[in-house]
Amino acid sequence: MKKLNIFYYATIWSFIIGICCATYLNLINFIINFVWHVLFDKLPVPSQALPFFICIPFGFIIGILIKRLGSYPLTIEEVLMSVKQEGKINYHNWWKSLTLGLISLAAGGSIGPEASTTVLGSGMVNWLGDRLRLIAYSSDWKWNHFWDTIVSKKQLKKLPKFSSLFKSKLHQKVFCLIMVMIGVVGAAIVFKLFPEEGLFGIHHRHILWQWRYSMYVIIPLIVGWSFGMFFLWSEKWSDYFAEKITISPIIKATIWGIVLALLTLITSYALYSGEFQIVPFVHQALQISPLFLLVIAVIKTLSTNIGFSLGWRGGKIFPSIFASVAVGAAIAQFLPIMPVMCVAITVSASIAVILGKPLLTAILLILLLPIELAPVILVSAHLAACLTKVSYSFRQKNN
């Protein structure tokens, strides 16, 4: 009977966690729209001046919060590292990631919601695992404790690990898979009830396979790989210089608010993650000069990495995809192959380098690009990963 209660408890809370994650993503879009199109919409200033009235004050607020709370939200890499080293994440600081994540996104930072969403989602899952341990090894637990969210650290230290709740690893994996699916159902219901324009899905497009031009595909592959390396180089040096600048985080974040506002005078694409801009951008990219497309890609890259290093933290996946699309569209104007194929190869190679995981890259991009290009995406991502390994080995030998 107790095992059945645990299953019921996990099922209900998994459903709630899915709802919470989807609600958070919708909340982000609502807040961005409120700040940029409602709150400051009636200001008697030109649209070009609006970023100065938003980015600079928000930068100051971000700096104050960083000084008081620390560098949040955590990145996906930091979450994975914590799980790998400690077997868990500290979900007690979830509100810090929520607060700084929302403010940085609302301010128009060139960052994605995936970082703060990962922190919140994994934190809730970790909390649920701890609650299940308490229930399993508690003699007085009753259903009236269902909404009790407090987890005693002292009690947890005395209890066996989460894996001890299952007879085997297979049972544990099946249980976790079922809970994940239930969470996905909860998220899907929210997205259905409160639909937001999104990119993910199965997209179709007729592809004209012109094999006589197949020799040209090496060009977007090399360019995409090179841009991915540039993105990583920018990330590395942005972090390096930010660490060398010994000034208050308040000044750092405010300075970036000023710089970000100035960058919008060149292109408005310096703002936001680019997630909801990719589709309209692709439709008009071929009407933009190749040189300006490269300028957009560089500004987006620097806006993401330098801003992150100066305190405007968040995800980098969608900004890097957007920047890679700009590069692919620029190259496509000089090649006889289909523009969408050129963009797909460029983006696949670039993101495979940035993420370092070709299969994950392929899965992500197959949900963004036409499904007919899946073989091209898979091959391009793996070739870029191989090229990275060869390049790394070559540098190691020379050093």
Side-chain angles (χ1 to χ4, degrees):
M1 186 63 182
K2 193 170 189 177
K3 290 183 178 180
L4 196 59
N5 284 341
I6 290 174
F7 183 81
Y8 290 150
Y9 184 90
T11 298
I12 297 171
W13 270 108
S14 294
F15 186 73
I16 293 172
I17 289 172
I19 290 175
C20 290
C21 288
T23 301
Y24 175 70
L25 290 172
N26 277 0
L27 178 64
I28 290 170
N29 296 326
F30 171 80
I31 290 179
I32 291 174
N33 182 69
F34 177 76
V35 170
W36 287 87
H37 302 293
V38 177
L39 189 62
F40 293 93
D41 191 47
K42 296 182 180 179
L43 282 178
V45 296
S47 58
Q48 294 89 343
L50 189 59
F52 292 89
F53 285 87
I54 297 177
C55 297
I56 298 174
F58 269 93
F60 181 73
I61 294 170
I62 290 169
I64 292 176
L65 290 174
I66 291 172
K67 190 170 183 178
R68 292 181 177 274
L69 305 180
S71 296
Y72 290 93
L74 301 178
T75 63
I76 296 175
E77 291 77 12
E78 287 171 335
V79 170
L80 294 175
M81 185 63 68
S82 176
V83 173
K84 186 177 180 180
Q85 292 179 346
E86 304 175 23
K88 61 179 181 179
I89 67 168
N90 183 8
Y91 51 81
H92 298 286
N93 292 328
W94 65 270
W95 61 276
K96 296 180 180 180
S97 288
L98 175 69
T99 303
L100 272 161
L102 279 177
I103 291 177
S104 297
L105 289 162
S110 180
I111 48 175
E114 63 270 19
S116 52
T117 305
T118 300
V119 173
L120 295 174
S122 56
M124 287 187 285
V125 169
N126 204 152
W127 168 86
L128 177 57
D130 286 344
R131 288 293 299 168
L132 294 180
R133 288 166 60 200
L134 287 172
I135 295 170
Y137 296 102
S138 173
S139 57
D140 60 345
W141 187 86
K142 296 179 182 178
W143 271 99
N144 59 355
H145 298 153
F146 180 82
W147 295 107
D148 184 9
T149 59
I150 298 174
V151 177
S152 172
K153 292 182 180 180
K154 291 182 179 179
Q155 284 181 286
L156 288 175
K157 288 181 180 179
K158 301 176 183 178
L159 298 178
K161 294 181 178 181
F162 179 73
S163 57
S164 63
L165 299 177
F166 306 93
K167 294 179 180 179
S168 66
K169 287 186 177 181
L170 178 61
H171 288 153
Q172 182 179 343
K173 289 180 179 179
V174 171
F175 177 84
C176 292
L177 179 61
I178 292 172
M179 294 305 120
V180 168
M181 292 173 66
I182 291 170
V184 169
V185 170
I189 290 174
V190 173
F191 290 137
K192 190 70 176 178
L193 293 175
F194 307 97
E196 290 282 351
E197 182 186 357
L199 295 175
F200 288 108
I202 303 300
H203 308 281
H204 293 279
R205 182 169 180 173
H206 175 69
I207 304 298
L208 182 61
W209 300 97
Q210 297 174 302
W211 301 108
R212 56 180 173 168
Y213 297 128
S214 58
M215 67 184 75
Y216 290 100
V217 300
I218 190 67
I219 297 174
L221 180 69
I222 298 297
V223 171
W225 178 84
S226 302
F227 182 74
M229 296 299 289
F230 168 72
F231 192 95
L232 293 178
W233 176 87
S234 169
E235 183 179 57
K236 175 184 175 182
W237 285 101
S238 296
D239 291 341
Y240 175 79
F241 284 117
E243 289 175 2
K244 293 295 181 182
I245 301 174
T246 55
I247 56 176
S248 167
I250 299 176
I251 298 176
K252 283 185 180 181
T254 305
I255 287 175
W256 181 247
I258 297 171
V259 174
L260 182 59
L262 289 171
L263 288 176
T264 62
L265 297 177
I266 303 174
T267 173
S268 61
Y269 291 123
L271 296 170
Y272 315 125
S273 68
E275 176 186 356
F276 297 102
Q277 298 166 302
I278 291 177
V279 171
F281 179 69
V282 167
H283 292 319
Q284 65 181 22
L286 295 180
Q287 278 70 54
I288 301 174
S289 73
L291 180 59
F292 193 63
L293 284 171
L294 294 178
V295 169
I296 291 173
V298 171
I299 287 178
K300 194 67 180 172
T301 298
L302 297 178
S303 179
T304 300
N305 290 321
I306 298 177
F308 183 96
S309 299
L310 294 179
W312 292 51
R313 293 168 61 92
K316 297 183 180 182
I317 295 176
F318 283 111
S320 64
I321 291 175
F322 184 90
S324 301
V325 167
V327 173
I331 300 301
Q333 297 186 37
F334 298 98
L335 298 177
I337 58 178
M338 282 190 71
V340 67
M341 186 177 296
C342 185
V343 169
I345 295 170
T346 306
V347 175
S348 301
S350 175
I351 304 304
V353 172
I354 295 168
L355 295 183
K357 295 177 174 60
L359 182 58
L360 176 61
T361 297
I363 293 171
L364 176 66
L365 295 181
I366 285 171
L367 294 174
L368 291 172
L369 299 170
I371 190 67
E372 289 81 3
L373 290 172
V376 174
I377 294 169
L378 280 164
V379 172
S380 300
H382 282 282
L383 285 176
C386 292
L387 194 56
T388 302
K389 289 180 181 178
V390 171
S391 173
Y392 179 77
S393 301
F394 181 76
R395 290 199 303 268
Q396 289 290 95
K397 288 180 180 179
N398 288 339
N399 293 333

